[in-house]
Amino acid sequence: MQRGNNRLPCFLDDADRARYRHLLREALLATDCRLHAYVLMDNHVHLLVTPPKAGATGRLMQKLGRQYVGQFNARHRRTGTLWEGRYKSCLVDSADYLLRCVRYIDLNPVRARMTDDPVAFPWSSCAALCGLRDDPLLTLHPTQGALGATDKERGDAYRNLLAETISDGDLAAIRAYLQQQRAYGRDTFQAMVQAKTDRFAEVRPAHRPPRTRIELE
């Protein structure tokens, strides 16, 4: 996820979104990253990406971010930063966890009350994943491909998934793992990530335990 500075818009109109999509396509080709889902909101973007090797996601976001900011500033006659610091990312387990993230991304416009129908929002992966249009940005993850043997079967299966309500617990978990940049998945997945990276993989508690008060007499 990358957010506009001070939560201000990073897209002022559809022409901005079209430029971002074009630059995203170029950055994906340059870094060999594969994009499985995306949404371009008013003041932030979500991308679900598989990199070919370590560091590729960083290069993708650096290339995309710098080029877009330069063109955005030139077009709108402004200077200075556009993004709120570095992008945030978390590792995602396959199977159910990946599909939860895909649904979370494509349903962003509905939660933001920008549309009642996620398929109708033109700046996301939703319509393509439902089999209603082609999108050259997207490459299906094997978990997405396993939803059906044909495009129609996969589209129908994904539409059924979209119709299911995302629980408040799943919403909170995805947001927490992304905000803290942890590994979103099964215990075994988190243990594997922690062993390979030597970094804590689980979400930390939102609040620290209260301090014990000591009084001197």
Side-chain angles (χ1 to χ4, degrees):
M1 179 189 69
Q2 193 158 33
R3 190 179 296 280
N5 192 37
N6 290 328
R7 297 181 180 265
L8 292 173
C10 47
F11 306 108
L12 298 185
D13 53 29
D14 285 349
D16 284 341
R17 289 185 171 89
R19 286 171 184 264
Y20 187 93
R21 276 175 48 96
H22 175 74
L23 294 173
L24 175 57
R25 174 66 172 165
E26 290 185 343
L28 289 168
L29 293 173
T31 59
D32 290 327
C33 289
R34 288 165 289 168
L35 182 68
H36 311 306
Y38 71 94
V39 66
L40 311 184
M41 302 295 285
D42 287 340
N43 67 355
H44 67 280
V45 302
H46 282 286
L47 308 175
L48 184 62
V49 175
T50 295
K53 56 185 177 181
T57 302
R59 290 191 294 275
L60 169 78
M61 298 304 293
Q62 184 181 59
K63 179 179 178 64
L64 173 60
R66 286 181 175 177
Q67 290 188 339
Y68 179 71
V69 170
Q71 294 191 22
F72 181 91
N73 283 354
R75 180 168 186 254
H76 297 292
R77 298 180 181 181
R78 68 183 296 277
T79 60
T81 186
L82 178 64
W83 305 116
E84 188 176 76
R86 188 178 184 273
Y87 69 93
K88 291 185 179 295
S89 65
C90 69
L91 294 172
V92 179
D93 200 351
S94 58
D96 290 344
Y97 292 91
L98 182 135
L99 292 176
R100 290 176 201 171
C101 289
V102 176
R103 292 169 60 214
Y104 174 85
I105 289 170
D106 277 339
L107 289 172
N108 252 252
V110 176
R111 288 192 298 274
R113 299 182 180 179
M114 299 173 73
T115 180
D116 292 330
D117 182 4
V119 171
F121 189 73
W123 304 105
S124 78
S125 49
C126 190
L129 295 179
C130 287
L132 301 178
R133 66 174 171 87
D134 293 327
D135 193 329
L137 293 176
L138 295 173
T139 301
L140 288 182
H141 186 277
T143 300
Q144 294 169 302
L147 289 175
T150 66
D151 289 344
K152 184 179 186 307
E153 288 181 0
R154 288 190 291 270
D156 290 345
Y158 185 57
R159 279 194 290 272
N160 290 334
L161 285 176
L162 287 173
E164 298 178 8
T165 302
I166 301 179
S167 70
D168 291 342
D170 283 341
L171 286 174
I174 292 171
R175 289 165 178 162
Y177 277 95
L178 180 56
Q179 184 66 30
Q180 297 186 29
Q181 304 191 79
R182 306 300 186 185
Y184 180 54
R186 296 162 293 180
D187 292 344
T188 53
F189 175 73
Q190 293 175 340
M192 179 270 291
V193 170
Q194 192 162 327
K196 288 190 173 184
T197 64
D198 197 28
R199 294 177 58 187
F200 192 74
E202 298 179 30
V203 165
R204 299 282 190 182
H207 302 287
R208 295 179 179 178
R211 294 180 179 179
T212 301
R213 183 177 180 182
I214 301 176
E215 294 184 359
L216 300 177
E217 297 182 1

